[in-house]
Amino acid sequence: MTYLEDLSQQTDRDLLAAHCAGDQDAFGELFKRHKDRMWAVAVRTCRDPELAADAVQDGFISAFRRADSFRGDAQVTTWLHRIIVNACLDRLRRVKPTSELPEYELADRRDEHASTVVRLDVQEALGKIPEAQRLALTLVDMQGMSVAEAADVLEVAEGTIKSRCARGRAALAELLVDKHGEGYVH
């Protein structure tokens, strides 16, 4: 077995520990494992691919530099989510608010077109609900995190996450029904 295969067999915690101990390849393996998921969180949080790209870069640089701050009381992915979400929030605070969504080309095929329209409608509705609710919904409903993991990432109580998700879902349903009439939200 080669050295790189050894890295791919290690747990996230082992990789982070190896990075802190000076292994120059360990963090690269963590990045490779989690970059896509962190990108998805950033895009949903920022609602702007350029801001998301910057936030992911900022977040991974921060994680690389602060790896020794990982206490081990959560999963490495939860720790990374927290760092990426914070990087997104930092980027969003630096940008003047806008209600415009990035332009997306709609697909020609009818099914793809309908799917794209629904995604854009949901994205637009997400942009209209309070940030705290949007972040909770992004982590729980879109990223599949448990309530406990989302609470760790956002550094709030589990009950707060449940409440934000419930209020956010109700607000989304209302916005989507208002836009498309009854039956749009299942």
Side-chain angles (χ1 to χ4, degrees), residues 141-161:
D141 290 351
M142 296 176 187
Q143 291 299 313
M145 281 190 165
S146 69
V147 169
E149 289 173 321
D152 280 346
V153 167
L154 298 176
E155 298 176 330
V156 297
E158 290 182 31
T160 302
I161 295 295

Side-chain angles (χ1 to χ4, degrees), residues 105-117:
E105 286 186 34
L106 296 179
D108 290 335
R109 292 185 5 214
R110 183 175 295 184
D111 290 343
E112 288 181 18
H113 175 78
S115 177
T116 300
V117 169

Side-chain angles (χ1 to χ4, degrees), residues 63-124:
F64 181 88
R65 291 179 178 160
R66 298 181 331 149
D68 59 345
S69 73
F70 178 70
R71 296 186 311 257
D73 54 354
Q75 293 181 17
V76 172
T77 53
T78 302
W79 177 75
L80 285 171
H81 271 94
R82 182 180 303 133
I83 291 170
I84 297 296
V85 167
N86 286 336
C88 290
L89 295 176
D90 288 345
R91 284 280 172 177
L92 287 169
R93 285 183 196 108
R94 291 185 222 155
V95 176
K96 64 181 179 179
T98 179
S99 60
E100 292 181 34
L101 293 171
E103 292 295 322
Y104 292 96
E105 286 186 34
L106 296 179
D108 290 335
R109 292 185 5 214
R110 183 175 295 184
D111 290 343
E112 288 181 18
H113 175 78
S115 177
T116 300
V117 169
V118 169
R119 276 195 308 266
L120 289 173
D121 289 346
V122 170
Q123 184 179 9
E124 181 181 22

